[in-house]
Amino acid sequence: MSLILDVQDMTMDFGGLRAVNNVSISMEQNEIIALIGPNGAGKTTFFNCVTGVYTPTRGGISIQPPGGDRESIKGLKPSRITEKGLARTFQNIRLFPNMTVIENVMIGRHTQLKSGVLGAILRGPRTRAEERKVLEDSYEILKKLNLGHHVNDLARNLPYGAQRRLEIARALATEPFLLLLDEPAAGMNPQETRTLEALIRKIRDTEKVSIFLIEHDMSLVMSLSERIYVMDYGKLIAMGTPQEVKNDPEVIKAYLGEEVSA
Amino acid sequence: MTLQQIKKTALVSLWFVFLTFPIMVIRVNTITQTITWRWHNMAFIALGTFFGGLLWRLALDRKPASARQAKQPEVLTEDPDVTDVKAESGIARRLGILRVKVAQKRTRRSLIALAVFSALLFPHLSSLYQTNIMITALIYVMLALGLNIVIGLGNMLHLGYIAFFAVGAYTYGLMHQYLGLGFWAALPVAAVLSTLAGILLALPVLRLRGDYLAIVTLGFAEIVRILLNNARNLTGGPAGISGIPRPSFFGMTMNLYQVSIYIYYIVLAAVVLTVFVVWRFENSRIGRALVAMGEDDIAAEAMGVDISRVKLTAFALGSLWAGIGGVIFASRTAFINPASFTVWQSIIVLSCVVLGGMGSIPGVIIGALGLILIPEYLRAFSDYRMLVFGAILVTMMVFRPGGLIQKRRRAYTFHVEEQK
Amino acid sequence: MDLDYFFRLFFSGLTRGSIYALLALGYTMVYGIIKLINFAHGEIYMIGAFTALIMATVFSFAGMPALAILVLSSIIAMVYSSAYGFTIEKLAYKPLRKAPRLSVLISAIGMSLFLQNYVLLAQTSNFLPYPSLLPRIPVPRFLQGLVSGPQLIIFSTTAVVMVLLTLLIKYTTMGKSMRATSQDRTMATLVGINVNRVISWTFIIGSFTAALGGILISSFTGQINFYVGFIAGIKAFVAAVLGGIGSIPGAVLGSLVLGMAEAFAAGYISSVYEDVFAFVILVLILIFKPSGLLGKPEVQKV
């Protein structure tokens, strides 16, 4: 099977600081993989490079969407990368706080739509049909993520867990083939985390979206991911199945003091 | 009001007596070498600040409730359009009730109809003088609505908006002077040119944020003004361009009264068009993207929004209205010079937007009408009007920082069981 | 190339730059701490200069010696300016601590308008001749013809103020509190810094130097009216942004660059385009360095 994401020898320097050092990560279609590591290991920087927030100093990033051709996405603008089918959530929730829940999702549909300024003003049948469609689609996505009753609430008024779900909903609205989740369980209680786990699995199974997550919650990582990469000080120190990673001496050393529990 | 507070207010007013002593009491004239001592002013300041201070304190004491209200997101649980107004007080409460009323669809429709109706009748019921003031006010409504696209929706601080107004006005002035063209020929040209100028400004500043953007836009406007001021051969420099013709109406000759009414209807139509376009735009795909960008540009980009394109669109669409407004302005005053396009004018338009309520169309309209009409009617106070105007700006912001009418997002209804 | 002419322009640029720096400091300090473009700052400068003029006239009527007039009226003017800065902050900005930033900006604009008209009404709308309060000092021989005595006083005063301010910010407790507050206000509160007091002091210090600038420049140009503050304020703000707003060395550097650019543009191109030139330089610098010359690039935490 072909690699839908293939990162080769990626390095990211900030001035003198090497945040990501020669990291290669690849994943196949329909996989759920995780990137773990202590705080400051460079995980989020890795995400930022893949999604175009930063352009890596060295290395290559290629994607191959299911049924599409392999292409490099290194150095593209974030909006172009999203168009190509990579969507992400943020570690510190970044919703559009003063827009309604449904509007947040509608923004996610941006690249799927065409109407421009003139169309919006004239509001011909095409635009109207498009608007109706985007509303319906967005509402469907919200229902899937159990946010249907929040449609017209402002995003900032949602409870924390719902905000996390809304970020996923918004990302899904871009119709990605790969979803990158940056600490989706952060700040959740065990109950909520279990619900989230089921949700992520459901998304993978029903939407045919591959999942790449960064997470600190080890129970979630261990039970959800099929393969795990471990980073420390910008370098990749281990890779393998949850079982392999758990018993890797390097990993245990990196987490010294931090409890690794399955 | 406790004795403690009164004592405190008295101390504050003493402080003001001290503070205003040199400026208020002593007046020097270094030309005639005279000094006038105006001790009576001390008493005015003492009394004025004491009672003013009491009022201020009273108002501030009552403010927290309404401030919380203003900051608190409107809770859109059952009926998304009804807001709880219990906590608001004074003017704020009246406005709050107005808001609830406006929110109800039927009332809103009849209010709009009433507004349009009275706007249509206005020039026939009032004097020429009033009509002319109203024309100016409506031009500012257009400007404020245009600037609102950049500031209210896109959250980009733009301090050079008046430059596009100048582009419009000078396009007409120059086209008339050199090509002999009239109002209706100049209008589309000015619209295109000001839109292009908007893009021209936006291109180099795409990367700038916040206050850096503010100062560059301000600088741009100053450059435009200074160029107009100094290109004497082309623009007439500080003397400006005069004899700009009024708009024509199928070659009919009109007297001053008729032509004012005619211009009034032109600007009214332009305002209606602006409102319509802005209203459609803000709930469209690009408009939503613009609002999203204003809220969080990184998240918007991650959702596939091309930030540069959206910014350019906002600047272009925003400038368009200023250009059209400029042509109407030139035709109304028949005379333009760079003094009409200073930083202060940009600031006044900005104040219209913020005072009315950023992002809210009715808010911006009320803000612009208020800001332009109030100083006109304050002419009774003649010399004091700008002083009072400044004080009103400060007081308004202190007591209602979100503007008169808060922006609200459109609520969608779904005919599904769980949703009312 | 006429070297003498070049140096004359150089010193004239240095003079302008020094004055802008005294004003720009206030902008940059206030901005650093409450992220507000204090539009009323230019008016503080104007009020400082006016107060000095009023007091100096009163004292000279009383027959005081020139040096006493200078010292007394300057001190009174600076104290008054600081009092105005302090009061404005309490009145127009403090109630808006949690309001949207643009609202505070409008409040500042309202304040600026109010103060301009306050002076206009209480004093006069005309330009008044401003006495040269600065003492005559001898110009060193090698600089004669290139620079005037008042110019030397202006840049040496500016240099002294800058050094004192840098020391104040680096070594005093208040300075440290200021730096802490500007980096992270919440954190500063948590470690026990009285943020409101820090903000008040920022306004007081900024107004103090603004008044100094006002007295120096008015003595130099020889005239004043109620509107001088607004124009100078805009220029100083441009200088502060040019250098990287929020950075004190940036404000000084930006002011000098702006002053020089204007002086040379006026001298070699045309004086009518000096403002255009200033803004073109600003735009060019910001295009290549979006955070100004010495401003820290805004790190977006993602």
Side-chain angles (χ1 to χ4, degrees), chain B residues 105-360:
Chain B
K105 221 171 189 176
R106 202 189 253 157
T107 332
R108 178 163 42 187
R109 282 217 186 111
S110 39
L111 264 181
I112 290 175
L114 186 72
V116 172
F117 190 66
S118 43
L120 282 174
L121 278 182
F122 182 80
H124 301 286
L125 299 176
S126 60
S127 65
L128 180 62
Y129 171 72
Q130 304 274 354
T131 308
N132 272 325
I133 291 176
M134 199 44 107
I135 291 172
T136 311
L138 287 176
I139 290 175
Y140 272 87
V141 170
M142 258 183 99
L143 290 177
L145 284 168
L147 184 60
N148 180 47
I149 296 175
V150 181
I151 290 190
L153 301 181
N155 207 9
M156 296 178 280
L157 183 47
H158 187 349
L159 288 181
Y161 190 64
I162 212 70
F164 306 108
F165 189 53
V167 168
Y170 268 90
T171 303
Y172 182 28
L174 294 173
M175 279 177 72
H176 165 69
Q177 191 164 9
Y178 293 100
L179 306 171
L181 291 173
F183 178 85
W184 294 107
L187 199 61
V189 178
V192 171
L193 282 183
S194 56
T195 309
L196 287 179
I199 294 172
L200 190 77
L201 167 63
L203 273 177
V205 301
L206 285 175
R207 283 171 64 201
L208 300 180
R209 285 157 185 272
D211 301 282
Y212 291 95
L213 179 70
I215 196 70
V216 170
T217 48
L218 186 149
F220 172 79
E222 277 297 276
I223 291 174
V224 169
R225 188 183 64 83
I226 296 167
L227 289 180
L228 290 175
N229 218 354
N230 291 318
R232 275 163 217 273
N233 298 329
L234 185 69
T235 62
I241 301 173
S242 52
I244 300 170
R246 318 261 171 181
S248 61
F249 186 67
F250 301 114
M252 260 172 62
T253 44
M254 287 181 278
N255 63 29
L256 194 64
Y257 177 69
Q258 287 165 326
V259 90
S260 291
I261 291 183
Y262 181 44
I263 295 178
Y264 175 86
Y265 283 122
I266 291 175
V267 68
L268 187 63
V271 166
V272 170
L273 181 71
T274 318
V275 170
F276 178 77
V277 168
V278 174
W279 173 63
R280 284 245 162 127
F281 176 76
E282 73 177 1
N283 286 304
S284 73
R285 169 176 174 259
I286 309 280
R288 270 196 307 268
L290 179 62
V291 176
M293 186 203 77
E295 298 255 299
D296 186 333
D297 51 350
I298 287 180
E301 227 180 351
M303 291 304 113
V305 174
D306 186 338
I307 296 291
S308 311
R309 226 154 114 195
V310 171
K311 272 190 190 171
L312 284 180
T313 311
F315 268 86
L317 192 63
S319 314
L320 168 70
W321 305 111
I324 296 176
V327 176
I328 300 176
F329 172 77
S331 80
R332 181 188 101 76
T333 54
F335 164 73
I336 48 170
N337 74 344
S340 308
F341 310 104
T342 61
V343 182
W344 266 116
Q345 260 69 33
S346 286
I347 287 175
I348 287 176
V349 182
L350 174 72
S351 310
C352 296
V353 176
V354 179
L355 201 68
M358 288 199 296
S360 151

Side-chain angles (χ1 to χ4, degrees), chain C residues 193-268:
Chain C
I193 292 173
N194 183 344
V195 170
N196 281 330
R197 234 184 69 182
V198 170
I199 294 174
S200 288
W201 274 105
T202 309
F203 274 86
I204 290 172
I205 296 169
S207 308
F208 194 84
T209 58
L212 195 60
I215 298 166
L216 288 174
I217 192 74
S218 305
S219 300
F220 185 65
T221 58
Q223 58 174 10
I224 188 171
N225 82 343
F226 71 96
Y227 199 62
V228 291
F230 186 70
I231 307 201
I234 294 260
K235 286 290 184 59
F237 176 56
V238 167
V241 174
L242 191 66
I245 193 147
S247 145
I248 288 180
V252 178
L253 180 66
S255 303
L256 292 179
V257 168
L258 188 73
M260 295 283 180
E262 283 184 0
F264 284 115
Y268 286 120

Side-chain angles (χ1 to χ4, degrees), chain B residues 18 23 26 30 38 211 401, chain C residues 31 80 98 101 103 122-123 129:
Chain B
F18 159 76
I23 304 269
I26 316 169
T30 46
R38 300 164 297 177
D211 301 282
Chain C
Y31 188 89
Y80 261 100
K98 293 197 178 86
R101 278 183 54 198
S103 307
Q123 296 291 324

